[in-house]
Amino acid sequence: MQRWNVNLSSNDWQRHPEADSVCRSLIDGGLVAVPTETVYGLAADATSGTACARIFQAKGRPSFNPLISHLPNLEAARHHGVFDDRALKLAEAFWPGPLTLVVPKTEASEISDLATAGLSTVALRVPSGPIMRYLSEKTGRPLAAPSANRSGKISPTRAEDVIADLGHALDFVIDAGPCEVGIESTIIGLTDEHVTLLRPGGLAREEIEKVLQTKVRTPASNNQPEAPAAPGMLTSHYAPNAQMRLHARAVAPNEALLSFGVDPIEGRESALAEANLSPSGDLVEAAAQLFQAMRTLDSSGAKTIQVQDIPNTGLGEAINDRLRRAAAPRS
Ligand code: TXA
Ligand code: MG
């Protein structure tokens, strides 16, 4: 595995010789860990069945689970997906950014059946993280990229997390520091007359409702492991080694505490470890800290992580979704 450190605040990262090597690797079917504003992605050429198969193999991911394809802009995305008025409105309002649209796949799209899991729909995203957009533009390929972690584990928000989990399987890792949003993109389904929230994420539902002037529907199946609307939404997911306990009322000395705000909780002082997602109660900050905090508490060796309640508005919906999955019974 080769490593490329990118400093996004300087303008010449695109001219770095490593940029060419990474593009060549992708065109040759390589696996590259790429930072986006949400989480680090495990990227490969979405038009190559072999390259996509390598993603599934590296992640140990069930292959019925389709992948998101990343593109440099809306125009490139329209080659692969059919955009109705609603899709265009959302893309214009929120791309580049933490929003994925599931739309009907076009006849012309070269995205492989393995990336779409054989569905007639396709998940498309134009991230605001510039490296993924740049690599897609340069290679002329849509880039399939799930989060760069082994299936069912915590999503990575730093290059070190990726290397620890998947380093052996990668051709390149691009390190641009911690991800800004820290939680995966919101996935909106637009394949029928409804606007469906397939996965809450880094863009709040309220923002989408404001732009479309309509209610966003939550499929009941989001909470049913047997028939998830977004096939990747298996109940037990994002799992640390420790057991997560939601709605904490007290914490024992051998337990860890995932806290939020400054509400008092019994036993805090003697807990084995504590991470506060946002002492000031800011949900954007909490989303950005979530996965890192789970990793830190997990490495404290505690068998149980007690989790304080988090409001379910704005990005709180996505945070609570991830916490529920992390706390779900494991198979
Ligand atoms: O923020 C993100 O979205 C990150 C970064 C790397 O872009 N990517 C990510 O991908 O979270 P992944 O593969 O972990 O999640 C993809 C989700 C899965 O739950 C999958 O089932 C759903 O998208 N999905 C993909 N194609 C779909 C389709 N055609 N219909 C319904 N759900 C789909
Ligand atoms: Mg994931």
Side-chain angles (χ1 to χ4, degrees):
M1 179 201 78
Q2 287 174 272
R3 186 171 175 146
W4 175 27
N5 294 306
V6 173
N7 175 2
L8 284 177
S9 55
S10 91
N11 284 328
D12 57 0
W13 62 267
Q14 304 183 354
R15 284 190 292 277
H16 198 280
E18 297 288 19
D20 285 336
S21 316
V22 169
C23 289
R24 217 167 313 120
S25 171
L26 285 167
I27 286 170
D28 291 343
L31 278 190
V32 181
V34 182
T36 76
E37 76 280 22
T38 58
V39 298
Y40 274 72
L42 182 62
D45 176 1
T47 68
S48 159
T50 318
C52 292
R54 288 190 67 201
I55 293 180
F56 290 118
Q57 185 192 37
K59 281 189 67 95
R61 177 179 233 189
S63 55
F64 51 74
N65 195 346
L67 304 169
I68 296 171
S69 290
H70 298 71
L71 294 142
N73 52 47
L74 173 59
E75 191 195 338
R78 290 185 81 171
H79 175 72
H80 300 283
V82 180
F83 282 65
D84 62 15
D85 288 347
R86 303 168 303 172
L88 285 175
K89 258 196 189 149
L90 290 180
E92 275 154 16
F94 300 116
W95 278 357
L99 171 69
T100 295
L101 297 176
V102 174
V103 295
K105 189 180 175 189
T106 60
E107 288 279 342
S109 173
E110 301 86 0
I111 291 175
S112 69
D113 283 338
L114 205 53
T116 60
L119 299 171
S120 58
T121 55
V122 65
L124 303 173
R125 165 159 131 82
V126 176
S128 65
I131 303 176
M132 187 76 89
R133 288 203 318 266
Y134 170 82
L135 294 174
S136 175
E137 174 111 69
K138 270 299 229 199
T139 56
R141 309 286 164 92
L143 296 177
S147 50
N149 52 278
R150 278 178 300 123
S151 197
K153 295 295 177 191
I154 302 171
S155 299
T157 53
R158 300 179 314 176
E160 298 84 82
D161 305 335
V162 180
I163 295 167
D165 210 17
L166 286 177
H168 59 279
L170 296 172
D171 296 292
F172 261 102
V173 64
I174 305 176
D175 183 353
C179 302
E180 206 180 300
V181 176
I183 201 160
E184 296 90 338
S185 62
T186 298
I187 306 182
I188 292 291
L190 295 169
T191 53
D192 58 21
E193 72 274 23
H194 299 289
V195 178
T196 306
L197 183 68
L198 296 173
R199 176 178 75 184
L203 179 67
R205 162 207 294 272
E206 294 88 334
E207 300 285 316
I208 293 164
E209 293 182 334
K210 227 185 286 166
V211 165
L212 291 184
Q213 292 291 309
T214 176
K215 280 278 165 211
V216 170
R217 193 179 66 133
T218 308
S221 57
N222 263 11
N223 302 316
Q224 287 168 14
E226 309 311 329
M233 300 290 279
L234 300 173
T235 296
S236 168
H237 209 118
Y238 307 99
N241 294 313
Q243 282 298 323
M244 307 273 291
R245 292 273 156 70
L246 307 183
H247 314 299
R249 294 288 168 263
V251 52
N254 60 346
E255 296 178 335
L257 175 64
L258 185 60
S259 51
F260 176 82
V262 288
D263 282 352
I265 176 163
E266 195 187 316
R268 165 177 266 155
E269 293 70 28
S270 47
L272 189 60
E274 177 181 354
N276 195 319
L277 292 177
S278 172
S280 68
D282 176 351
L283 290 165
V284 174
E285 180 186 24
Q289 299 302 325
L290 177 66
F291 292 136
Q292 205 51 51
M294 280 166 59
R295 278 176 203 277
T296 305
L297 295 182
D298 209 20
S299 66
S300 75
K303 297 249 174 342
T304 303
I305 300 174
Q306 295 282 356
V307 184
Q308 271 187 304
D309 284 335
I310 290 168
N312 205 42
T313 52
L315 294 194
E317 187 173 6
I319 296 171
N320 283 319
D321 171 80
R322 303 307 187 273
L323 287 171
R324 263 196 312 277
R325 288 174 204 285
R330 325 245 165 99
S331 46

